[in-house]
């Protein structure tokens, strides 16, 4: 059981928007702005898409955005494209001895 | 462009020690503000942070693995290494190394990641 809770799957049609949630506690997501999101295509390494809740690394399309409310962080992808189909993982610093926690991952299907 | 590459045996026998090395190219492992981490992913499952090391040798470990994990750094070779002892089939996973941004002992993000290496624990 992962420390952060994500939906197992989400889907959307090309051009639509989807949101993936990531729920933690006040010791991690809710207590710090150190939430990051990773995209992982099959057989590939994870790629950083969002850091510190809402910041995009250079080269990540602005279709990807992040936000947080209370103990839940969210990743929104607007204008869905076929290449967005992948697994998405959230991660957060935690004040517990675990230091870093990941979500269980969400499989995004572009219909 | 910073790149990381994992290397090591792809097959380890139960009860033995898993050993992997991550070679960093395109940048110095001695850069301030950055830790260097190991993360693993069992087949078909999610990501699990194993531990991280600073170039000075300071380390953080996942408490669930701490008794079996040792991470070390060799700045002269621009490499850091992972040793996981007393392995079982549950340790079968793709092992990734990654650069970690850390501020005030708080993990911020991991980027970039190595391509990953599958380690199978089997007799």
């Amino acid at each position: 059981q992962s420390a952060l809770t994500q939906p197992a799957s989400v889907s959307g049609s090309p051009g639509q928007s989807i949101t993936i949630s990531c729920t933690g506690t006040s010791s991690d997501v809710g207590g710090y702005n150190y939430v990051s999101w990773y995209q992982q295509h099959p057989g590939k390494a994870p790629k950083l898409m969002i850091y510190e809740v809402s910041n995009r690394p250079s080269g990540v399309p602005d279709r990807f955005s992040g936000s947080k409310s209370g103990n839940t962080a969210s990743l929104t992808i607007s204008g869905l494209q076929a290449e967005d189909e992948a697994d998405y993982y959230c991660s957060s610093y935690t004040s517990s001895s675990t230091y870093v926690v990941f979500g269980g991952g969400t499989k995004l299907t572009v219909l | 462009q910073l790149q990381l590459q994992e290397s090591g045996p792809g097959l380890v026998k139960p009860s033995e020690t898993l050993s992997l090395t991550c070679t960093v190219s395109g940048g110095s492992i001695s850069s301030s503000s950055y830790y260097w981490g190991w993360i693993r992913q069992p087949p078909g499952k999610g990501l699990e942070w194993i531990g991280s090391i600073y170039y000075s040798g300071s380390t953080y470990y996942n408490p669930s693995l701490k008794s079996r994990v040792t991470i070390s750094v060799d700045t002269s070779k621009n490499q850091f290494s992972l040793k996981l002892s007393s392995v079982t089939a549950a340790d079968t996973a793709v092992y990734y190394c990654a650069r970690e941004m850390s501020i005030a002992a708080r993990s911020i993000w991991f980027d970039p990641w190595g391509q990953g290496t599958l380690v199978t624990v089997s007799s």
Side-chain angles (χ1 to χ4, degrees):
Chain A
Q1 184 175 356
S2 301
L4 304 180
T5 301
Q6 299 180 232
S9 63
V10 298
S11 62
S13 299
Q16 289 186 331
S17 295
I18 63 94
T19 296
I20 299 172
S21 62
C22 171
T23 302
T25 69
S26 58
S27 295
D28 39 65
V29 174
Y32 306 91
N33 289 326
Y34 296 140
V35 176
S36 52
W37 289 91
Y38 301 88
Q39 176 191 66
Q40 185 179 36
H41 287 109
K44 300 295 186 181
K47 174 187 175 183
L48 179 67
M49 302 301 284
I50 296 287
Y51 66 96
E52 293 181 69
V53 177
S54 60
N55 294 304
R56 279 187 312 276
S58 174
V60 173
D62 59 7
R63 303 185 293 104
F64 291 83
S65 62
S67 62
K68 189 184 83 168
S69 177
N71 293 338
T72 298
S74 298
L75 173 70
T76 298
I77 308 174
S78 59
L80 269 179
Q81 298 183 4
E83 58 261 37
D84 298 333
E85 185 163 293
D87 293 327
Y88 291 85
Y89 293 90
C90 63
S91 177
S92 174
Y93 165 76
T94 172
S95 58
S96 76
S97 57
T98 313
Y99 183 64
V100 177
V101 288
F102 285 96
T106 298
K107 181 176 180 59
L108 168 62
T109 300
V110 180
L111 302 171
Chain B
Q1 179 184 359
L2 189 75
Q3 292 185 313
L4 291 82
Q5 178 70 57
E6 305 89 351
S7 60
L11 181 64
V12 181
K13 290 182 168 55
S15 80
E16 295 190 344
T17 296
L18 177 160
S19 297
L20 295 174
T21 295
C22 182
T23 300
V24 179
S25 60
S28 174
I29 202 169
S30 301
S31 299
S32 60
S33 295
Y34 293 121
Y35 272 69
W36 303 89
W38 287 98
I39 303 101
R40 70 180 182 178
Q41 184 173 35
K45 297 188 178 181
L47 301 166
E48 179 183 34
W49 172 72
I50 300 170
S52 302
I53 190 166
Y54 195 55
Y55 74 90
S56 64
S58 174
T59 53
Y60 294 95
Y61 295 137
N62 187 323
S64 68
L65 298 169
K66 187 175 183 178
S67 63
R68 299 193 292 130
V69 173
T70 301
I71 298 176
S72 59
V73 64
D74 187 336
T75 55
S76 67
K77 295 181 178 179
N78 231 28
Q79 296 176 333
F80 62 107
S81 299
L82 168 70
K83 290 188 184 299
L84 180 64
S85 63
S86 305
V87 297
T88 69
D91 295 309
T92 293
V94 175
Y95 285 76
Y96 295 101
C97 58
R99 182 181 65 173
E100 177 187 356
M101 166 60 78
S102 179
I103 299 175
R106 295 172 178 176
S107 181
I108 310 300
W109 46 253
F110 293 93
D111 180 69
W113 297 52
Q115 67 183 25
T117 187
L118 174 63
V119 179
T120 301
V121 178
S122 174
S123 56

